[in-house]
Amino acid sequence: DLSSVIPTYRRIKKLPSVYTPAEIKRIEEAIDIHTIKGRRDLPMLRLITRMGIRVGDVAKLKWGELDLEHGKLAIIQQKTGTPLMLDMPDDVLSAFKLYLENNTYKNDDYVFYPLKGPKRRITTTLVGHALHSYIEKSNINVAGRKYGPHAFRASLASSMVNDDVSYEVVRKILGHTDPNVIMRYARTDIEKLR
């Protein structure tokens, strides 16, 4: 019986869907920042696209976890239970400042809330629906790609890896505890190889 010496087949994990920085910019431009909804959704989306924050952590984000004066974010990640402290890029900070203008709920615990119904935190489903609507408005071709919040974390990771940011730095920014998980986010940049 030679079955014990035959190597087992390891299924190759499919690479995550990614979007280019130009596509992400088009999606953000589809947000109408002249509305309350748009001013809420822009920082929500930028936390995911610019900082790689998981959608569950965006949904449960509290004002006490943000230091807008010094541009810091400090959370306990919902998925891993580990602390994550990051500096906020200027475009994330500016989105929060826009959000705070005329925000009647800014003294409540949770940062993001539904526009209708009782004051409570938003759900991950609401974040996903908002993102889908902006993708549709931007007319980006999503054929063959996923278009949920996780695709934008993967896009950030792929972009950083292609910009020669070390795997360890990318892993820390995305809050992964497994050092090998980042490698599956790495998408080859054909132009860079050329």
Side-chain angles (χ1 to χ4, degrees):
D1 179 15
L2 297 176
S3 64
S4 63
V5 294
I6 297 173
T8 57
Y9 172 72
R10 288 190 69 200
R11 190 172 167 186
I12 297 171
K13 290 185 177 180
K14 191 176 177 183
L15 290 172
S17 298
V18 295
Y19 291 83
T20 66
E23 289 174 321
I24 291 170
K25 185 177 180 191
R26 279 181 50 196
I27 293 166
E28 288 179 356
E29 288 170 350
I31 299 173
D32 182 1
I33 60 170
H34 299 98
T35 66
I36 294 170
K37 182 179 185 304
R39 286 192 300 269
R40 177 201 66 189
D41 292 352
L42 184 61
M44 218 166 46
L45 181 60
R46 284 189 176 166
L47 283 170
I48 296 167
T49 62
R50 303 291 200 288
M51 297 179 67
I53 305 298
R54 288 182 181 95
V55 68
D57 294 325
V58 170
K60 72 175 191 68
L61 186 65
K62 293 185 175 184
W63 287 112
E65 297 168 322
L66 293 174
D67 179 356
L68 297 178
E69 185 177 332
H70 298 102
K72 306 278 185 193
L73 175 136
I75 60 172
I76 302 295
Q77 297 174 94
Q78 186 178 19
K79 183 176 181 179
T80 63
T82 58
L84 178 68
M85 296 179 68
L86 296 172
D87 291 328
M88 287 191 277
D90 289 340
D91 49 3
V92 175
L93 273 173
S94 65
F96 271 109
K97 287 176 183 173
L98 182 66
Y99 177 52
L100 283 171
E101 292 175 12
N102 302 316
N103 184 345
T104 58
Y105 292 162
K106 65 183 170 192
N107 294 326
D108 286 359
D109 279 344
Y110 292 106
V111 174
F112 303 112
Y113 54 88
L115 299 177
K116 295 179 182 173
K119 290 191 282 184
R120 63 185 190 286
R121 73 178 179 90
I122 59 169
T123 63
T124 57
T125 304
L126 190 146
V127 177
H129 286 302
L131 185 55
H132 291 172
S133 72
Y134 296 124
I135 291 171
E136 285 178 8
K137 286 179 185 176
S138 68
N139 292 320
I140 290 175
N141 182 4
V142 296
R145 294 188 284 182
K146 293 183 179 179
Y147 48 92
H150 189 73
F152 294 93
R153 271 177 59 85
S155 300
L156 176 66
S158 178
S159 178
M160 286 191 293
V161 168
N162 287 331
D163 288 341
D164 294 327
V165 176
S166 74
Y167 285 140
E168 183 62 15
V169 170
V170 175
R171 182 187 72 78
K172 285 181 179 179
I173 288 172
L174 293 184
H176 287 289
T177 53
D178 180 0
N180 296 319
V181 78
I182 289 302
M183 293 184 194
R184 71 185 185 108
Y185 286 114
R187 292 284 289 235
T188 304
D189 185 341
I190 300 300
E191 290 305 312
K192 190 171 182 177
L193 284 176
R194 238 180 233 145

